[in-house]
Amino acid sequence: MTSAERPSSTPSSPTPTATSVGGAGAVGDPTAVDGTTEVLPSVVQKVTAFSAREIPGVVALGASSSRAVGAVRQTLTGSTENTAGVRVELENQTARIGLDVEIEYGVGARELVRALRRHVPKAVEEIAGVTVVELNVVITDVHLPGGDDVDAGGTPPPPPAATL
């Protein structure tokens, strides 16, 4: 009898099984559950709005009329989630985003838009799991220094009286 024909007295190593450790849906993993995940456009809107406001030089989102509507909505509902000025088209976990911003006077528009195009897509992908394939920015207004001194009627205060 040759060594190849002789029965082995050493036990053979176990054959790998289909059970894997750590993967979603792994056999024997009591925490794994299969299913689907859907991210709604409103989630992408909120993440976009919040992340855009983090950029220095962004004063507000939306045009003045949409900001006014947002202020009324906040007063009536108590909601602080103003997504005015953010439009989202969502398809197959990719988003095309339109963003209307008011910028601070003295801030370079090109640099600000570059910062938005770096920061917003990264935040949307990390938080919502959606890839931003397009971010269109419209600068709707420039916030001038002392612009907060304008009264609610939209007219500037009268000039001081001339002294003689």
Side-chain angles (χ1 to χ4, degrees):
M1 191 182 260
T2 66
S3 63
E5 296 171 346
R6 214 175 293 145
S8 173
S9 61
T10 32
S12 61
S13 61
T15 308
T17 62
T19 304
S20 64
V21 177
V27 177
D29 183 356
T31 62
V33 177
D34 290 334
T36 62
T37 302
E38 180 180 0
V39 176
L40 297 178
S42 61
V43 172
V44 176
Q45 275 184 307
K46 287 179 186 179
V47 172
T48 298
F50 191 83
S51 63
R53 288 185 189 105
E54 292 177 327
I55 300 298
V58 172
V59 174
L61 301 181
S64 59
S65 60
S66 65
R67 289 194 305 271
V69 169
V72 170
R73 183 183 312 120
Q74 180 178 352
T75 302
L76 294 174
T77 65
S79 171
T80 59
E81 298 170 350
N82 187 358
T83 59
V86 180
R87 296 165 310 283
V88 174
E89 293 176 20
L90 190 59
E91 185 178 329
N92 297 327
Q93 299 302 315
T94 62
R96 296 183 191 290
I97 299 173
L99 184 60
D100 299 342
V101 296
E102 176 183 349
I103 65 172
E104 186 175 333
Y105 178 80
V107 172
R110 287 185 180 142
E111 291 79 19
L112 183 128
V113 170
R114 278 190 207 113
L116 286 167
R117 288 200 172 118
R118 278 190 306 266
H119 184 64
V120 170
K122 182 179 176 184
V124 170
E125 183 150 359
E126 287 177 359
I127 296 168
V130 172
T131 302
V132 177
V133 295
E134 190 174 313
L135 177 60
N136 298 306
V137 179
V138 176
I139 298 173
T140 60
D141 204 353
V142 175
H143 182 79
L144 300 174
D148 294 334
D149 296 337
V150 175
D151 68 11
T155 58
T163 56
L164 297 173

